[in-house]
Amino acid sequence: MKSKFLLKILQKHLGKKGDAARIRSYIRSKNIVNSGNLSSVDPKKIVVAVVQEEIAIMQNYKEYVDMMYGFTKEAADRGAQLISFPEENGTLVLGMLPFIKLILKIMQINKDKADVKNTLENKAVSNTEAAHQSRHDAQKKNTGIDPAYIFSFLTPFISSVFETTFSELARSFGIYIMAGSVIIEDKGKLVNRAYLFGPDGEVVGTQDKAHLVELEMDLGLAAADRLQVFDTKVGKVAFPVCMDATYFETFKILKQQGAQIVIIPIANMEDYNYYLALRGIWPRVQESAVYGLKSSLVGELYGIKFTGKAGLFAPLRLTPARDGVIAEAASFDRSELICASINLTLLDSYSDPYFSDQNPELYKKYLPYVYEL
């Protein structure tokens, strides 16, 4: 009940703090000069950038804008035509809300109590859909509030700050920005949604996360039921989210749809382990013969640790050291910006002897049964 009471107090602050006109005005006061990076596009030299962003809760919209502006300006100055931000990049704006830390603390305390109770009752070990629904219901009961209610309440505010910031930055610098993702409510469902903005400031497309982690399932998020590829001046781009790269099917589907660049924004809540990190974008790029971009959220907040190295990846024979890595962050827990160029024309004739063999008849025989639910 405390959470609901505090949310009601927040209501009168939302409009002013998330006012799109004020955000646009602040960005325009920086007198940004269009980079011109997209005035001439050579498929043999597409310049891309990925952000490794240290997590921080922003106190006001100016802090949020300044951080995103800083990364975007550096990328544009280095010739980037496309820049990618990490998963949960939009969630950072929650720090702008009064009492948000108290609300999170109350919810965390109650969640911990529910987890202990579930563990004692041997319910937390289950990973079935029913178990996740049970934990979701338990959290709702113990906190007195449904996560879907919180995000439906906050979605207009979060979306205003997030979308206005990146729309204006993309338009001002004249480049493509994959802004990362944010949890919002849409048509009664919670989704983890990533956005791509074009150089005109318009949304080119969005992609909801298709493979949810346990925490997201416990919160009641809905998984995407489609994967999309978008035509841009810098090639055919897709941007599934984080865990989507753990499964080969994601990249296989996108490759069949013509994807040339697949972006993966991540926010891994785990200690960094090189071999564990290999479950994601690197093998998917080798299997699918696409360019891969990974942007990552790193650092620690409220005892939760985020790690992961941002980087640019390509099939082995298309990288300088024949290791599948074009460029990668030096650290796994500090802010960095990685920028390099890629050659899309090399994908047209690329064939790898280890990943090019196909056996369609075998697949037709077994795959329908493998994926039968």
Side-chain angles (χ1 to χ4, degrees), residues 153-206:
F153 185 89
L154 297 177
T155 288
F157 164 75
I158 296 173
S159 297
S160 178
V161 178
F162 181 70
E163 294 183 28
T164 303
T165 297
F166 287 104
S167 171
E168 193 63 27
L169 288 176
R171 185 196 64 79
S172 298
F173 282 103
I175 62 176
Y176 288 96
I177 299 180
M178 202 296 289
S181 77
V182 60
I183 296 177
I184 59 171
E185 184 270 341
D186 183 25
K187 298 177 181 177
K189 293 183 178 181
L190 282 186
V191 294
N192 188 349
R193 177 167 295 170
Y195 290 73
L196 176 64
F197 293 87
D200 58 358
E202 298 297 318
V203 175
V204 175
T206 64

Side-chain angles (χ1 to χ4, degrees), residues 239-257:
F239 44 99
V241 180
C242 199
M243 276 294 286
D244 292 343
T246 300
Y247 307 97
F248 80 89
E249 293 94 338
T250 302
F251 275 58
K252 184 176 180 65
I253 292 168
L254 293 171
K255 175 68 173 182
Q256 289 178 336
Q257 293 184 60

